[in-house]
Amino acid sequence: MAEKTEPAAAAASGLAGEMEVEAYRRLFPLAFLERHLRESVRPDARRLSEARPTTVALGAVSSAHGSALVRLGDTAMLASVKLEVMSPPAESSDEGSVVVEFHMPPICSPLVRPGRPADVAPVISKALEDVLMSSGMLNLKELCLISGKASWLAYLDIYCLNADGSLFDAALISAVASFTHLEIPLVSVGDDGRVFTVGGNEGKTKFELVNREKRKLTLGDIPFSLTCALHKDSILVDPTSEEESIIETYVTVVIDSSDRIVSVQKLGGAVTSMTAVKECISLAKERRRKLREILKDSVDVMEVDQTE
């Protein structure tokens, strides 16, 4: 009888221990985090300089002209690009335009309330648009159809499906991936001068085409970002939402595919030393190389799927 009760007692003791740890984690989140940092490890068992597993799946939305589903740990982003024909403004008659919108529906986080848009959503939208335009990744002249008459307006919508930290980093990866997947459709000009899209092989023979074949955009230097949380002497790469709720200081570094700095932004907290900023930049460059490989692998997988 004693032999049967020993495993049960051990299981009960282990469960009680887990409950005590979880209670301590909730009641004293800062002390719980610092206890881990003293051992150079994080609550999720990652090293301080270790980012979460990242995956990119291209073509996640069949109705979009370009799309991608990105997972950064438990953070998930779905991005799509839809193209519409517009009349370009006189000051940029040979260029197209890009509109960026970042969405945080209530399903992504218990902190987002129905009917009340998240305060951070427009901030991330603006930051994404600034990075995409300033990095030189997009050549807006490639979105021109007929100079002075018609060009493409690209609507980039990014939906946060699950918010578990480093939202800007995941959103930027999904934006880059959706433009990588983007395929510009065929268009023709009607008798009334209106430009319209043409679909299918029948359309190719029935209409006189402005562009003879579907094509990809030629992307310039691609930007990738890394957010670091700074706490005392520790730098935590790719923080989770739990870590973000505890730590006050963040540095987000955007590096392009030529290892040039696109932007460095510090949010909250006290004055940050230049040594810490330089370390964040070094970590961002290392992360950029890994993300570039992940994106390349996703393109290779898509090409294999299309040939099968």
Side-chain angles (χ1 to χ4, degrees):
M1 185 71 176
E3 292 180 357
K4 291 183 179 180
T5 58
E6 285 180 6
S13 175
L15 179 60
E18 290 179 9
M19 292 176 64
E20 288 179 4
V21 170
E22 187 60 28
Y24 182 72
R25 183 176 193 162
R26 290 177 178 273
L27 292 173
F28 308 102
L30 179 58
F32 182 81
L33 176 63
E34 289 181 336
R35 186 172 179 179
H36 283 79
L37 296 184
R38 283 194 290 270
E39 303 296 328
S40 297
V41 71
R42 296 156 74 170
D44 60 4
R46 282 186 291 156
R47 301 187 309 274
L48 271 60
S49 60
E50 182 181 354
R52 291 170 291 177
T54 306
T55 61
V56 176
L58 301 180
V61 182
S62 59
S63 59
H65 295 110
S67 62
L69 174 64
V70 168
R71 296 186 183 277
L72 177 57
D74 287 335
T75 294
M77 298 284 172
L78 179 65
S80 68
V81 179
K82 288 282 285 185
L83 297 175
E84 288 188 4
V85 178
M86 70 166 193
S87 297
E91 61 271 15
S92 54
S93 60
D94 60 345
E95 294 182 351
S97 298
V98 176
V99 175
V100 181
E101 194 72 36
F102 180 76
H103 308 269
M104 290 188 70
I107 61 167
C108 77
S109 169
L111 300 178
V112 181
R113 304 290 297 276
R116 297 177 60 183
D119 294 338
V120 72
V123 176
I124 293 179
S125 294
K126 182 64 168 61
L128 286 169
E129 187 171 346
D130 289 345
V131 166
L132 291 174
M133 294 299 102
S134 64
S135 66
M137 182 186 84
L138 300 174
N139 180 3
L140 296 182
K141 292 185 183 298
E142 284 205 355
L143 295 176
C144 176
L145 287 167
I146 304 173
S147 182
K149 293 185 178 180
S151 60
W152 289 114
L153 173 58
Y155 289 100
L156 169 63
D157 286 289
I158 302 174
Y159 293 87
C160 180
L161 305 181
N162 193 51
D164 188 30
S166 299
L167 300 187
F168 177 80
D169 297 350
L172 182 58
I173 300 169
S174 68
V176 167
S178 61
F179 275 111
T180 300
H181 177 250
L182 175 66
E183 190 173 64
I184 297 177
L186 303 174
V187 295
S188 181
V189 181
D191 295 336
D192 58 356
R194 184 176 59 88
V195 178
F196 58 93
T197 58
V198 176
N201 293 325
E202 181 182 350
K204 292 182 181 180
T205 57
K206 185 177 180 181
F207 301 103
E208 183 178 350
L209 300 176
V210 174
N211 49 344
R212 295 297 177 184
E213 59 183 18
K214 294 182 179 181
R215 62 180 178 87
K216 299 283 190 179
L217 283 180
T218 303
L219 301 182
D221 288 317
I222 297 175
F224 297 99
S225 67
L226 178 68
T227 297
C228 299
L230 279 57
H231 182 68
K232 296 182 178 179
D233 294 330
S234 300
I235 299 178
L236 287 69
V237 162
D238 178 26
T240 63
S241 58
E242 179 185 9
E243 292 168 338
E244 289 180 344
S245 68
I246 301 169
I247 300 174
E248 296 181 351
T249 306
Y250 307 94
V251 173
T252 298
V253 181
V254 181
I255 302 287
D256 70 16
S257 49
S258 296
D259 263 356
R260 290 177 297 203
I261 298 174
V262 177
S263 68
V264 178
Q265 185 176 22
K266 173 187 170 293
L267 298 175
V271 176
T272 303
S273 69
M274 186 54 65
T275 301
V277 173
K278 288 181 178 178
E279 179 62 20
C280 292
I281 293 173
S282 177
L283 290 166
K285 289 183 177 181
E286 181 180 344
R287 177 65 171 160
R288 191 277 304 168
R289 287 187 280 273
K290 292 178 180 177
L291 289 175
R292 182 65 175 159
E293 285 300 314
I294 292 171
L295 182 60
K296 181 179 181 299
D297 289 344
S298 69
V299 172
D300 292 342
V301 169
M302 182 189 68
E303 291 176 347
V304 170
D305 291 342
Q306 288 177 342
T307 56
E308 290 180 349

